[in-house]
């Protein structure tokens, strides 16, 4: 059987794909079961209101782009067991708890979401491989806690190198870690 000129059996070897989907009318569970070698998944500008709509079969994905998808929460993201880079900007997410279970995560782009509570940043502490974090345009980085924001991120992410697309000087990392 051929799909767009590609034999369906060849899809299992595909390492990268970019899709725009509406999960209110199309479930991605079967897609993940077919694309077993997928390591890079880009779903930007899709309609995906919850990770349950994606399913649990994208186990080998290491890079996920899921920006501007109307996401309000990230419950179920743990199904992406090998995830190293998460680009989940411009959604409506306010809770980082489930992100804290992504033990391989090194890049987290959370720009333009709704994280308000400074306490949410403590969940980053579990992510030992995290080196790049972006929370620009979240209330936590601009609101009443903006003065504490930089210090809290650096304190909770000891290996941080990039914060909000800017390098974090080594002396700032060392200073906060000694406090």
């Amino acid at each position: 059987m051929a799909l767009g000129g590609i034999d369906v059996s060849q899809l299992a070897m595909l390492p990268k794909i970019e899709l725009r989907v509406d999960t209110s009318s199309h479930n991605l569970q079967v897609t993940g079961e077919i694309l077993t070698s997928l390591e890079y998944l880009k779903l930007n500008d899709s309609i995906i209101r919850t990770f349950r709509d994606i399913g649990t079969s994208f186990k080998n994905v290491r890079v996920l782009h899921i920006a501007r998808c109307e996401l309000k929460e990230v419950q179920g993201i743990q199904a992406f067991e090998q995830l190293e880079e998460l680009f989940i900007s411009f959604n409506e997410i306010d809770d980082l708890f489930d992100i804290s279970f992504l033990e391989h995560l090194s890049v987290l782009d959370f720009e333009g979401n709704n994280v308000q509570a400074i306490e949410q940043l403590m969940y980053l502490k579990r992510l030992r491989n995290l080196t790049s974090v972006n929370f620009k345009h979240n209330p936590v980085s601009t609101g009443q806690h903006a003065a504490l924001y930089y210090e809290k991120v650096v304190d909770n992410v000891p290996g941080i190198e990039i914060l909000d697309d800017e390098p974090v000087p080594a002396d700032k990392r060392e200073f906060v870690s000694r406090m």
Side-chain angles (χ1 to χ4, degrees), residues 13-171:
M13 297 181 286
L14 200 64
K16 176 181 179 177
I17 195 165
E18 296 182 25
L19 303 169
R20 188 175 289 166
V21 297
D22 179 350
T23 58
S24 62
S25 57
H26 297 90
N27 184 308
L28 291 181
Q29 181 69 42
V30 175
T31 309
E33 292 170 7
I34 294 169
L35 303 172
T36 55
S37 295
L38 200 65
E39 293 184 5
Y40 179 101
L41 177 59
K42 190 170 187 177
L43 298 168
N44 289 353
D45 300 307
S46 292
I47 298 173
I48 303 169
R49 296 201 172 89
T50 174
F51 275 89
R52 288 183 291 279
D53 295 340
I54 297 173
T56 59
S57 55
F58 289 103
K59 295 191 183 306
N60 295 316
V61 171
R62 294 182 309 116
V63 179
L64 176 61
H65 290 261
I66 193 163
R68 295 174 302 282
C69 290
E70 302 180 20
L71 280 165
K72 295 184 184 337
E73 47 114 32
V74 290
Q75 228 174 16
I77 196 169
Q78 302 94 309
F80 287 83
E81 298 169 5
Q82 301 302 316
L83 202 59
E84 296 173 11
E85 298 181 19
L86 176 59
F87 301 89
I88 193 166
S89 55
F90 302 104
N91 283 290
E92 301 171 29
I93 304 161
D94 61 4
D95 189 338
L96 298 173
F97 177 74
D98 290 282
I99 300 276
S100 71
F101 294 101
L102 299 172
E103 62 185 50
H104 302 289
L105 202 64
S106 62
V107 174
L108 176 60
D109 186 344
F110 221 79
E111 182 175 353
N113 275 282
N114 288 331
V115 177
Q116 295 183 33
I118 196 84
E119 296 79 18
Q120 286 292 318
L121 300 175
M122 75 175 190
Y123 293 122
L124 301 177
K125 198 168 209 116
R126 295 189 62 197
L127 304 171
R128 302 196 187 283
N129 297 316
L130 202 56
T131 59
S132 178
V133 176
N134 184 357
F135 279 99
K136 285 193 289 192
H137 309 294
N138 273 270
V140 73
S141 66
T142 58
Q144 66 183 11
H145 298 295
L148 285 174
Y149 163 72
Y150 186 90
E151 181 182 317
K152 286 291 184 188
V153 172
V154 174
D155 187 38
N156 285 299
V157 185
I160 191 140
E161 297 171 8
I162 307 289
L163 176 56
D164 296 343
D165 298 325
E166 298 290 331
V168 175
D171 61 328

